[in-house]
Amino acid sequence: MSTTLVNILVRRRPGKSLTRLCLPCFRKLVSYKHTTPCFVTTPIFYVNAGPHIGHLYTVLLADAHARWNRLSGRNVLLSTGTDEHGLKIQQAASRSERSPPDYCDEVSQQFKVLFQSANIQYDDFIRTTQDRHRRAVQRFWEQLESNGHIYRGSYEGWYSVSDEAFLTSEEVKDLTTPDGSTAKIYVWLDALINYLTVAGYPDNLTTWPPTSQIIGKDILKFHAVYWPAFLMASDLSPPTRLLCHSHWLVDGRKMSKSLGNVVDPSDRMERYSVDGLRYFLLKEGTPHSDGNYTDRKVTETINSGLVNTLGNLLHRCTSTSINHAQVFPPLDPQAMDTHFSAEEIHMYSTLKTLPDSVDEHYQTLTIYKALDQLISVLHQANAMFDHHKPWQLAKQMDQSEHLNTVLHVAMETLRTCGILMQPVIPNMADQLLTKLGIGTDRRTIDSIYEDFVKDKAVKLGTDTSVLLKRVK
Ligand code: MSP
């Protein structure tokens, strides 16, 4: 039975709380596991200039989406790479007085290094200058030809080198003189075929079609119109789903070398940490409207979500002054009934509904909504903590049941949110879950439905370092 069916069953009973539906027990029967394999792609990046935060954003969305699906038990193939053909790359190489192959090697490597340091778990990094790709393009062309889709003719149009696209006369009216092109195989045909190359075409097309193709809004036409047409003309299925995102601007303007406003992601990862930058881009980036990057906004977002809310709750419930025994205590339902309000009990029971609601956001790339929801739950847990004043309970011998219930609820919230935030902040989530004593085999989405602590308290990890220092 699939998760979709679970969603339907839950939604068909409006007004009923999930505790009453006994979702945790239900889950045991219908594991969260999705069974279909997942083939996620990013666009391949032009090597005419080094990477900026906009490029990192595209890849981060794909990485978080892929990680989420891995956590849900699916087999995932995530591909990325570099696009090394086209006039603008040739021009960039000649400007830097390098041969095109040397120039491509260097910039392609910059993308690779960035993706590794940003903790992108890609499975394949394709370069369009590789032999396997040349063979795929050749074969695809032959297939189009044998299907009768290639004919000789003369065509005239305005070719924009910077856009690597033909423009209409209307669009050209707005430009200074455009360059002409003598390209033989249209660069976009060559570039799009990269997705087939990584899937094993032409020898052994193992995983086809892609299940999620992640692209920026500027390349929608190529992916939504040309690409399915090329594929159908070659007797291949079009991708299942295109996920399109908006752009990052700086001071309301497009990032460009000539404007001097390019934001370097490596520099920002050093300043804000890898997870800090990952969190900011995924929390503030939305698919429907462009985001405006400012360092001030990064500082505020990280401090308010990761430092004051997530880090603070972990710090409070694992501090030796409150948690003398340094454990994750089990739930005492009686103590909960006695000391907790109906609202607080409801908050606790809704933790088990979070995987379903964030699933939708990770799948549709509205990851900011998943993070909003999780941060709001963590806020409520901090408010619950303040309300019960555990620092006072910790001083009274006869209040240990009450204290342990507060600690249990706070830690269960951290466990759930930590597991669900792994795709966005993998390092911090690892540190948090390790501190809570949660082994690496108990961090899947399914494990949220298990009782992590049963009768016996679980010993906390010994690392006392803070999750993330306040960003100045
Ligand atoms: N090489 C083509 C893609 C071929 S895919 C078959 C290309 N390359 S690109 O380097 O110009 O862009 C790659 C991706 O980065 C695109 O999805 C694009 O939307 C994204 N971004 C480029 N600038 C961006 C921002 N400022 N903000 C967010 N994403 C940005 O197009």
Side-chain angles (χ1 to χ4, degrees):
M1 201 187 294
S2 70
T3 327
T4 324
L5 182 52
V6 178
N7 284 335
I8 293 165
L9 289 173
V10 172
R11 284 189 191 134
R12 272 204 191 140
R13 301 192 58 177
K16 298 273 179 195
S17 84
L18 287 161
T19 344
R20 260 181 251 159
L21 269 178
C22 191
L23 194 64
C25 320
F26 188 48
R27 285 291 183 193
K28 285 197 181 121
L29 298 173
V30 290
S31 149
Y32 200 79
K33 263 188 188 153
H34 296 267
T35 45
T36 31
C38 206
F39 178 16
V40 185
T41 68
T42 79
I44 45 171
F45 298 87
Y46 284 133
V47 290
N48 61 310
H52 58 55
I53 52 150
H55 301 129
L56 178 62
Y57 178 60
T58 296
V59 174
L60 268 181
L61 284 168
D63 182 55
H65 178 76
R67 281 174 182 267
W68 174 261
N69 280 294
R70 284 192 202 104
L71 279 179
S72 308
R74 290 171 94 172
N75 281 331
V76 175
L77 169 66
L78 171 60
S79 76
T80 188
T82 43
D83 190 348
E84 307 183 13
H85 292 130
L87 284 168
K88 69 174 168 184
I89 289 151
Q90 192 181 347
Q91 290 175 350
S94 104
R95 269 198 305 275
S96 67
E97 296 182 352
R98 312 278 299 280
S99 72
D102 278 0
Y103 178 81
C104 290
D105 282 350
E106 184 184 316
V107 185
S108 176
Q109 186 62 16
Q110 289 173 17
F111 277 93
K112 221 174 184 174
V113 167
L114 171 70
F115 297 165
Q116 275 158 3
S117 49
N119 218 340
I120 306 298
Q121 274 184 348
Y122 59 81
D123 300 288
D124 198 345
F125 189 98
I126 182 170
R127 299 181 57 183
T128 53
T129 44
Q130 288 167 338
D131 265 353
R132 59 172 175 162
H133 183 65
R134 206 164 291 140
R135 284 181 51 241
V137 175
Q138 184 75 34
R139 179 74 194 84
F140 193 86
W141 181 267
E142 286 161 9
Q143 187 66 47
L144 289 178
E145 206 160 31
S146 76
N147 286 2
H149 295 297
I150 306 238
Y151 55 91
R152 283 175 195 279
S154 58
Y155 178 79
E156 199 179 275
W158 295 112
Y159 193 73
S160 158
V161 175
S162 63
D163 297 321
E164 290 291 13
F166 284 95
L167 303 183
T168 61
S169 316
E170 278 306 302
E171 288 166 323
V172 168
K173 270 191 209 148
D174 302 332
L175 301 176
T176 53
T177 318
D179 299 45
S181 161
T182 54
K184 295 283 192 296
I185 288 189
Y186 183 34
V187 278
W188 273 97
L189 176 64
D190 178 281
L192 289 160
I193 292 171
N194 91 82
Y195 304 126
L196 278 164
T197 310
V198 295
Y201 183 91
D203 305 324
N204 183 17
L205 192 58
T206 44
T207 323
W208 197 261
T211 47
S212 305
Q213 296 217 277
I214 289 153
I215 54 165
K217 62 180 186 180
D218 54 325
I219 56 174
L220 180 62
K221 175 177 76 182
F222 305 103
H223 284 82
V225 181
Y226 298 179
W227 180 220
F230 290 152
L231 284 168
M232 287 188 264
S234 191
D235 305 321
L236 289 161
S237 313
T240 318
R241 180 165 60 166
L242 274 179
L243 292 159
C244 184
H245 66 78
S246 58
H247 278 186
W248 280 97
L249 307 175
V250 174
D251 300 324
R253 298 165 88 181
K254 201 174 160 176
M255 255 179 285
S256 86
K257 243 184 175 174
S258 50
L259 287 174
N261 62 355
V262 172
V263 180
D264 174 5
S266 304
D267 168 72
R268 294 315 195 274
M269 283 194 299
E270 256 179 51
R271 220 188 270 187
Y272 304 120
S273 79
V274 170
D275 281 10
L277 187 64
R278 286 177 67 108
Y279 176 77
F280 168 75
L281 291 174
L282 293 174
K283 171 83 171 43
E284 293 300 310
T286 64
H288 50 269
S289 52
D290 289 346
N292 199 32
Y293 180 95
T294 65
D295 285 306
R296 193 198 165 112
K297 212 186 317 176
V298 183
T299 308
E300 286 168 3
T301 306
I302 293 176
N303 282 342
S304 115
L306 296 183
V307 181
N308 299 347
T309 309
L310 180 70
N312 185 37
L313 186 63
L314 179 70
H315 176 71
R316 294 166 106 188
C317 59
T318 57
S319 78
T320 44
S321 58
I322 293 178
N323 191 332
H324 301 312
Q326 288 293 285
V327 289
F328 187 151
L331 176 70
D332 178 340
Q334 235 176 350
M336 188 180 235
D337 271 354
T338 316
H339 300 288
F340 272 53
S341 66
E343 245 177 38
E344 287 169 332
I345 295 174
H346 178 71
M347 179 200 94
Y348 179 73
S349 72
T350 55
L351 289 177
K352 299 279 192 256
T353 68
L354 289 175
D356 267 349
S357 39
V358 301
D359 177 58
E360 188 178 336
H361 301 316
Y362 275 115
Q363 298 298 6
T364 56
L365 294 198
T366 47
I367 297 177
Y368 72 102
K369 286 192 186 171
L371 293 173
D372 278 349
Q373 200 170 358
L374 297 173
I375 292 294
S376 141
V377 170
L378 288 161
H379 266 302
Q380 290 172 36
N382 269 308
M384 174 283 295
F385 207 86
D386 287 339
H387 173 75
H388 289 273
K389 301 190 174 51
W391 50 93
Q392 289 179 0
L393 302 176
K395 292 182 188 143
Q396 302 162 40
M397 296 288 274
D398 60 344
Q399 290 299 316
S400 65
E401 279 154 13
H402 184 175
L403 172 65
N404 280 345
T405 309
V406 174
L407 292 178
H408 174 89
V409 172
M411 289 182 173
E412 189 55 14
T413 309
L414 283 167
R415 181 179 82 96
T416 309
C417 294
I419 289 176
L420 297 176
M421 283 166 97
Q422 291 178 95
V424 177
I425 46 166
N427 293 328
M428 281 181 74
D430 175 40
Q431 195 185 332
L432 176 140
L433 297 169
T434 305
K435 179 76 197 174
L436 294 180
I438 301 164
T440 47
D441 55 337
R442 305 196 64 184
R443 299 178 182 183
T444 60
I445 309 304
D446 263 348
S447 61
I448 290 177
Y449 301 103
E450 294 163 8
D451 290 330
F452 172 62
V453 213
K454 293 201 178 87
D455 314 322
K456 224 169 134 237
V458 171
K459 202 89 194 110
L460 294 183
T462 48
D463 184 3
T464 51
S465 50
V466 290
L467 272 191
L468 188 66
K469 286 203 189 102
R470 179 172 306 282
V471 184
K472 300 239 168 69

